[in-house]
Amino acid sequence: KQEVTQIPAALSVPEGENLVLNCSFTDSAIYNLQWFRQDPGKGLTSLLLIQSSQREQTSGRLNASLDKSSGRSTLYIAASQPGDSATYLCAVSTDKLIFGTGTRLQVFP
Amino acid sequence: EAQVTQNPRYLITVTGKKLTVTCSQNMNHEYMSWYRQDPGLGLRQIYYSMNVEVTDKGDVPEGYKVSRKEKRNFPLILESPSPNQTSLYFCASSLFRRGDTQYFGPGTRLTVL
């Protein structure tokens, strides 16, 4: 059974820091992996989607990598800003879309 | 604007009183799904639909019904709500299948007393 784990559960950093969020999954047979952002009281916004054949995807200050063989993905946020404060979720796509429980990020000025 | 809408956003009801949460998307997506989000459990899929008149159970379908009579709409029906269905509910859609980029609605916070 596929399980998705995100560590740490919460993270608090000062503005300007580069940071890494981690996502691990137990079964490497995935179609792709997605990273989402969830703001309080709002829905999820898709940030990046990495196909199983890809190693990484970039969008602005965000870079997501995928190592399927080791069951790991990282989301790198460069030069963090207070507006990046949110919960970040990863999800792997197999015959289902399985979500991790998220990392709650706070960036303080 | 491309979006997924849900109504109502907040709902407090009592045990046993039937309710419907509506979901609509304007992107001509074929795949739609419902999730519930609970603390410590993350998002879990309730039902999904690959296309009109095609629906299937997700991981936690008990106590829920869905229908897909039109491509844009995918309502979630609770025939006899119970307190354990108190949760935050999300509707999502994607172009063809679950592996495509998912677009989420803003969520419906349901409390069943």
Side-chain angles (χ1 to χ4, degrees), chain A residues 19-41:
Chain A
L19 56 98
V20 174
L21 307 182
N22 297 294
C23 172
S24 61
F25 46 96
T26 55
D27 187 345
S28 62
I30 63 171
Y31 297 135
N32 59 43
L33 184 144
Q34 299 183 48
W35 282 94
F36 295 87
R37 169 185 173 139
Q38 183 176 20
D39 294 283

Side-chain angles (χ1 to χ4, degrees), chain A residues 1-7 23-30 32-33 66-73 90-94 98-100:
Chain A
K1 177 186 172 186
Q2 177 75 267
E3 293 184 359
V4 181
T5 305
Q6 290 186 248
I7 295 173
C23 172
S24 61
F25 46 96
T26 55
D27 187 345
S28 62
I30 63 171
N32 59 43
L33 184 144
L66 175 63
D67 184 343
K68 214 173 66 160
S69 60
S70 67
R72 293 182 182 180
S73 176
C90 68
V92 297
S93 177
T94 57
I98 311 259
F99 284 84

Side-chain angles (χ1 to χ4, degrees), chain B residues 5 23 37 51 56 68 83-84 98:
Chain B
T5 57
C23 172
Q37 186 177 35
N51 212 325
D56 210 344
R68 187 92 182 271
N84 65 12
R98 60 176 65 83

Side-chain angles (χ1 to χ4, degrees), chain A residues 32 34 36 38 41-44 46 49 89 93-97 99 101, chain B residues 9 35 37 40-43 59 88 90 98-102 104-106:
Chain A
N32 59 43
Q34 299 183 48
F36 295 87
Q38 183 176 20
K42 296 188 178 179
L44 281 69
S46 180
L49 185 153
L89 295 150
S93 177
T94 57
D95 60 337
K96 304 178 182 181
L97 192 61
F99 284 84
T101 52
Chain B
R9 294 289 315 279
Y35 294 87
Q37 186 177 35
L41 297 176
L43 279 123
D59 292 318
L88 181 58
F90 289 103
R98 60 176 65 83
D100 296 324
T101 298
Q102 297 284 318
F104 279 78

Side-chain angles (χ1 to χ4, degrees), chain B residues 35-53:
Chain B
Y35 294 87
R36 60 179 289 173
Q37 186 177 35
D38 302 288
L41 297 176
L43 279 123
R44 296 176 293 168
Q45 191 176 56
I46 303 170
Y47 268 94
Y48 64 93
S49 169
M50 301 287 283
N51 212 325
V52 175
E53 302 292 0

